[in-house]
Amino acid sequence: VVGLVGSEMCIRDRVGTIGCTHLDAGDHAASIPSLERAVREFRRLRVPDRMAHYLGALAEARLRSGDPGRALLTAQQSLTQMEGLLGGLGEEEAATTRARLAGTFITGARAAARLEDPAEVAHFLESGRAGALLESLGGRQALRWTDLPEDLRQAEVEAKSGEVRARSDFEQALAGEDRRELARRRADLDDALERMREVSARIQREAKRQAGLFYPRAAPLEEIQGWLSDGEVLVLYGLGREESLALVVAPDSERIVSLAGADEIGKACATLLPGETGEIRGLRLGGKAGNLDQALGRLRALLVDPLELPEKATTVLVSPEGPLCYLPWGALLPGRSVALTPSGTTHALLVEEERGTGEGVLALGNPDYGTPD
């Protein structure tokens, strides 16, 4: 049964791969029909990860073909598939899936930017970061069993078990020739998926803090703005191969800024933070002081100057990604207080969280990192 289902999936994957090949070659119009067909087939097969993947590729194809409106709608559909998918996966599998589908986040943000919709830009950039920090630290599954209320935990277990059974029955029917049985099993799987969505919604309503761990979702732009103080500005960066973005968020305003592509920005980062193979590996500054000043100046021109931050923005919260996470932002933003945050959503949660008085001591020494190369 698995072999038969797997063979059919391979055939559908070939159709989608053809569409992706056309997309990479720059033939956007030719890629769209193949990607649309792949999406339809994986929707029929009830395979959410492949459907999310090809929806993301289809959104990129529509964006490149000059249709940002449909591109945004398609990226939103991909994001919806991902939200349900990631919450039910283990830590390692969720991190792998998130990385594989990461292109959808910047595609959606770019489409929203073309439509001058900062709320949707924020939604996609924040969604790309939601849950990533937790997955990198580990422990999500352990927290699931200790933090989630018993009734919700049991409801989730039952819903997941029902989905696994229904999916197995559907795959068996898919490999057979009885169309009526296939229709019944497809309906059963749809019912099981709907129960899983209902449980997820219950967790979101009744256990908001825990829901952020298991089904992470981006906070709305207005909510993020509500947690910013006077003089604070949040800058969300999103790196795209052809075009990058920054969303500058203040308590009473927001602005979308277009930046250079990821390759150009990455090369500028590499001149400041060279690793053993020219890749970003850590905070080792190489070269003479003159070279350092030149590298910092280049990065300011690419990442800071286009933001046109007002003088009243005395504190800048930077939410970077990729190689930007390794940059010395204090040196790039002299004269301002700088703090790094995984996302605006994380910042809002930290501000909202009641802070208690600690009883222990955190002591920091002077570690020896060895002699720089």
Side-chain angles (χ1 to χ4, degrees):
V1 172
V2 174
L4 290 171
V5 174
S7 297
E8 185 165 359
M9 286 183 61
C10 287
I11 294 172
R12 308 312 175 210
D13 256 335
R14 290 194 193 102
V15 174
T17 300
I18 291 172
C20 290
T21 301
H22 284 302
L23 180 60
D24 291 339
D27 193 349
H28 313 140
S31 70
I32 290 176
S34 294
L35 292 171
E36 287 176 335
R37 181 181 171 191
V39 169
R40 288 195 301 270
E41 292 301 321
F42 282 110
R43 180 178 285 115
R44 182 180 67 84
L45 292 172
R46 304 303 195 269
V47 183
D49 59 335
R50 304 309 294 157
M51 187 163 57
H53 170 70
Y54 288 120
L55 278 168
L58 179 58
E60 179 68 21
R62 286 174 170 167
L63 180 61
R64 293 188 191 181
S65 66
D67 191 354
R70 294 190 70 188
L72 179 59
L73 291 174
T74 306
Q76 289 169 338
Q77 293 171 6
S78 179
L79 188 58
T80 299
Q81 292 295 322
M82 278 190 275
E83 286 178 343
L85 179 65
L86 293 173
L89 298 178
E91 292 164 19
E92 183 175 350
E93 190 178 1
T96 301
T97 301
R98 183 185 298 278
R100 188 172 68 249
L101 302 176
T104 296
F105 302 121
I106 186 61
T107 297
R110 287 168 51 220
R114 300 277 178 86
L115 297 171
E116 300 181 356
D117 188 341
E120 279 298 319
V121 172
H123 181 67
F124 276 97
L125 293 180
E126 287 286 316
S127 295
R129 292 156 168 77
L133 176 63
L134 186 69
E135 287 159 4
S136 67
L137 295 176
R140 185 170 72 154
Q141 296 302 314
L143 287 169
R144 180 188 296 276
W145 297 110
T146 57
D147 277 14
L148 202 61
E150 176 62 29
D151 61 327
L152 292 180
R153 186 165 65 240
Q154 186 62 34
E156 187 190 37
V157 169
E158 293 176 356
K160 283 188 175 180
S161 297
E163 181 184 344
V164 170
R165 289 193 302 270
R167 189 173 296 281
S168 176
D169 292 342
F170 173 69
E171 289 177 354
Q172 291 184 41
L174 191 64
E177 298 180 356
D178 190 336
R179 293 185 177 274
R180 291 184 179 179
E181 178 67 9
L182 178 61
R184 284 194 294 269
R185 295 308 182 185
R186 179 181 285 118
D188 290 343
L189 178 56
D190 288 342
D191 289 343
L193 292 172
E194 180 59 30
R195 284 194 292 273
M196 192 66 232
R197 284 190 288 268
E198 290 174 355
V199 170
S200 172
R202 278 192 62 197
I203 293 175
Q204 292 285 346
R205 291 193 307 269
E206 300 174 27
K208 183 177 180 181
R209 180 177 178 275
Q210 293 89 336
L213 301 178
F214 313 136
Y215 301 95
R217 291 182 179 176
L221 178 59
E222 291 183 358
E223 182 176 328
I224 295 172
Q225 288 177 302
W227 289 114
L228 294 175
S229 303
D230 290 338
E232 285 186 338
V233 170
L234 170 68
V235 181
L236 296 165
Y237 285 99
L239 298 181
R241 186 170 62 179
E242 299 179 353
E243 176 191 17
S244 300
L245 297 173
L247 182 64
V248 182
V249 183
D252 57 354
S253 65
E254 61 283 326
R255 187 162 54 87
I256 303 167
V257 180
S258 178
L259 303 174
D263 288 344
E264 185 177 354
I265 292 174
K267 289 177 182 177
C269 292
T271 61
L272 181 65
L273 306 170
E276 296 174 4
T277 61
E279 297 176 352
I280 305 303
R281 292 189 180 274
L283 290 172
R284 294 182 295 157
L285 302 181
K288 299 179 181 180
N291 294 334
L292 177 59
D293 290 340
Q294 184 178 4
L296 288 173
R298 177 59 177 158
L299 285 167
R300 287 195 196 100
L302 288 171
L303 299 172
V304 176
D305 294 345
L307 306 180
E308 299 180 353
L309 297 176
E311 292 185 5
K312 66 178 183 179
T314 56
T315 299
V316 182
L317 305 172
V318 179
S319 178
E321 71 169 357
L324 304 188
C325 297
Y326 300 97
L327 296 180
W329 286 96
L332 294 176
L333 289 159
R336 304 179 195 263
S337 297
V338 180
L340 298 186
T341 181
S343 69
T345 302
T346 302
H347 177 71
L349 290 172
L350 291 175
V351 172
E352 188 178 30
E353 186 76 17
E354 182 178 354
R355 297 182 180 181
T357 302
E359 298 180 356
V361 174
L362 172 63
L364 302 178
N366 185 21
D368 182 5
Y369 290 110
T371 304
D373 294 341

